[in-house]
Amino acid sequence: MDESKTTEKRITKKDLRSVWWRSTFLMGAWNYERMQNIGWAFSMVPAIKRLYKTKEDRAAAMHRHLEFFNTHPYAAAPILGVEIALEEQRANGADINDEAISGVKVGMMGPLAGVGDPVFWGTLRPVVGAFAASLALSRNVLGPILFFVIWNVLRMSFTWFTQNMGYTQGTNITQNLGGGMMQKITQGASILGMFIMGVLVPRWTTMNFPVVISSVKNEAKNVVDLSTLADAANRGKVSAAQLRNMYDQIISGKQVDMFKVTTLQDVFNTLIPGLMPLLLMFGVLWLLRHKVSPILIIVGLFVLGIAGYGTHILG
Amino acid sequence: MTAFFVVLIAFLAGVEGVAEQFQFHQPILAASLIGLATGHLIEGVVLGGTLQLITLGWMNIGAAMAPDAALASVVSAYLVTGPAQVDIKTGIAIAIPLAIAGQVLTIVVRTLTISFAHIADREADKGNVQAIDILNLAGVGIQGLRIAIPMIIVMAVGAEPVRAALASIPDVITGGLAVAGGFIVVVGYAMVINMMASPDLWPFFFLGFALSALSEVNLIGMGIIGLVLALVYLQLSPKFNNKDDGDGGGTGGGTSGGNDLDAILNDY
């Protein structure tokens, strides 16, 4: 690495602030083809403008950042930081290719969404929301005010702090490069990226075939006796022993339903869950490689959804 | 003046329904603000709190979309606190189908913005950075109008026709779009894979798929496994280990068969 470049291009504090503010609109043009890609490129614009001056360089950089991207909107901040650092190194002549930049993005987006979704949507918002709602229900205007202030202070400090952390770490990584290190990072990032795409296929895709294949009546002695409890409850005389008995029956493996229903989905699941999304993904990949436009594919999938739902095959 | 603020709040809620930053689409904020605009703040706050409790677990994850809190909150809050003076119970009842209608509108906009991605590609060819700004902000604007326009329509026609119109959307359309919304993401995966895949990387894809389908390991755990796999691969692959030990300068290549031979010779 020759660090003695006379025309070294540097990202300024102002650029970092600008990227941070722009990432507020990360989801602004969310689309079914490449999801947050426009918002991501929009966030990266200050860095692209600072680092690349020629039309060709800017075109290449924009294409790099217009690829598919999707993560939790706040968890994008650390990834933005790392990517700014990578682009900065690249603009200064480091051997960082497109695969490395994509691999880092794709490899980080899934796991970080895996942190962001349960923390922000699954825990923090319900907790703050329930607290604020309880105030609101007692006709207290502090409910909405506290919700707004608490949420946005947490969010803005989180995204600012993690974006800077990503930028610092990204700079460190690339400053310690030895010869050939970049190829390692590229290959490693691509492995992580492909692995995560494999992980997301069964996790982030929802496809259910509710068609009933078979419905077998369970033997009465194997079915939990719910009616006795219901009768007792209706007469207002449920005893602790009855509840205990019910619990024991369930624990001992008795069926809750009278019928054992097997759906088409259950059949697929016995092979491997996520099989149909996987096949669908390969179908789409095949179409893409035969130059079918993604828009056409998406329209086709919507038609498939409506047809499948209408015929009760999908649900 | 009231009308202006109501539409503005609807617009902000529409933007936030997808942007998810300031959270103006959350009922507790949207309904309270509408109440403030119409001069019935407390009713708005109470309705907002009630709806907030119903929507606590709603979240947009991946490409899957929760029912839309933005349209539900602003319209029902306007019906409760505005001239219609519907009671809070009715307001809640009307909010649910509105949430479904808002979800359908979001799907429509998110399909519409696919064309933005293609315009962005073309403009990127020309090195036109400004185009990205315009396209993203246009997307933000359309998401705002997604709620602001229905709000204006409700203000113009009143509550009853709105209820009737919602009931008239066939279930096969709303249900079918929701079903397709669940698996439409495969297009995005396929595009990434199309770009990255090489023969030596496919095993990692299938390993990720099988682990994810058959185990309960969460995404963070998966990230760690993926990272470890990558590191182990790099340590073991002869492709990358021919010049690490000894000859500091290196040949810079590391891809041709000749270097593999060098590595073997160095090791002996």
Side-chain angles (χ1 to χ4, degrees), chain A residues 1-30:
Chain A
M1 290 288 296
D2 45 340
E3 293 291 337
S4 57
K5 282 229 186 298
T6 45
T7 55
E8 206 192 347
K9 302 182 185 77
R10 297 287 300 170
I11 292 289
T12 64
K13 202 82 184 167
K14 185 166 157 278
D15 297 334
L16 290 174
R17 266 203 306 277
S18 178
V19 169
W20 172 68
W21 169 244
R22 279 165 170 257
S23 70
T24 304
F25 302 105
L26 180 71
M27 314 259 273
W30 199 104

Side-chain angles (χ1 to χ4, degrees), chain A residues 21-35 37-39 41-42 45 48-49 55 58-59 62-63 66-68 70 73-74 102-103 106 110-111 113-115 117 121-122 125-126 129-130 132-133 136-137 139-141 143-144 147-148 151-152 155-156 179-180 183-184 187-188 190-207 272-275 277-278 280-282 284-285 288-289 294-295 297-298 301-302 304-306 309-310 314-315, chain B residues 18-26 28-29 32 41-42 45-46 49-50 52-53 56 58-63 65 107 110-111 113-114 116-118 120-121 123-130 132-133 135-137 139-140 143 171-172 175-177 179-197 200-202 204-220 222-223 225-227 229-230 233-234 239-241 243-244 252-253:
Chain A
W21 169 244
R22 279 165 170 257
S23 70
T24 304
F25 302 105
L26 180 71
M27 314 259 273
W30 199 104
N31 61 85
Y32 276 117
E33 188 182 303
R34 275 173 272 170
M35 306 202 174
N37 76 322
I38 299 174
F42 174 77
V45 159
I48 293 173
K49 274 189 181 166
K55 183 188 140 189
R58 285 189 173 181
M62 284 159 74
H63 280 300
L66 278 169
E67 284 163 2
F68 174 90
N70 197 44
Y74 309 165
S102 302
V106 173
V115 182
D117 288 330
W121 298 163
R125 193 166 66 189
L137 290 178
R139 309 175 74 82
N140 190 336
V141 185
F147 179 85
F148 183 76
W151 185 266
N152 285 292
R155 167 182 72 86
M156 293 174 106
Q183 280 141 333
K184 281 192 175 183
Q187 183 76 8
S190 303
I191 288 172
L192 182 58
M194 279 297 273
F195 181 81
I196 292 296
M197 291 321 291
V199 168
L200 294 186
V201 167
R203 293 274 170 107
W204 279 6
T205 317
T206 317
M207 214 176 178
I272 188 169
L275 177 66
L278 183 74
L280 188 67
M281 198 285 292
F282 276 109
V284 172
L285 187 61
L288 285 176
R289 290 190 168 169
I295 298 183
I297 299 175
I298 285 167
L301 289 183
F302 273 122
L304 186 74
I306 292 171
Y309 183 78
L314 286 163
Chain B
V18 288
E20 296 261 29
Q21 303 275 344
F22 295 96
Q23 305 289 316
F24 286 123
H25 64 302
Q26 291 292 307
I28 190 143
L29 290 183
S32 300
L41 175 61
I42 296 301
V45 169
V46 173
T50 315
Q52 188 69 36
L53 289 176
L56 277 185
W58 290 8
M59 51 186 114
N60 301 325
I61 287 185
M65 227 164 12
I107 294 174
R110 287 176 160 193
T111 309
T113 43
I114 294 171
F116 286 25
H118 291 265
D121 284 344
E123 292 302 317
D125 285 336
K126 301 177 202 153
N128 182 0
V129 181
Q130 264 73 41
I132 304 291
D133 291 1
L135 287 167
N136 199 53
L137 294 177
V140 171
Q143 289 292 3
D171 171 61
V172 68
L177 288 180
V179 164
F183 59 70
I184 207 96
V185 281
V186 295
V187 180
Y189 305 151
M191 291 179 80
V192 174
I193 291 167
N194 197 19
M195 170 189 79
M196 284 206 304
D200 53 332
L201 292 180
W202 275 112
F204 295 100
F205 173 84
F206 286 107
L207 184 61
F209 174 78
L211 269 179
S212 170
L214 297 173
S215 81
E216 300 290 315
V217 180
N218 67 18
L219 275 175
I220 302 156
M222 289 295 183
I225 295 172
L227 195 64
L229 281 172
Y233 180 90
L234 295 179
K239 208 159 91 180
F240 296 105
N241 293 300
K243 55 189 161 33
D244 266 0

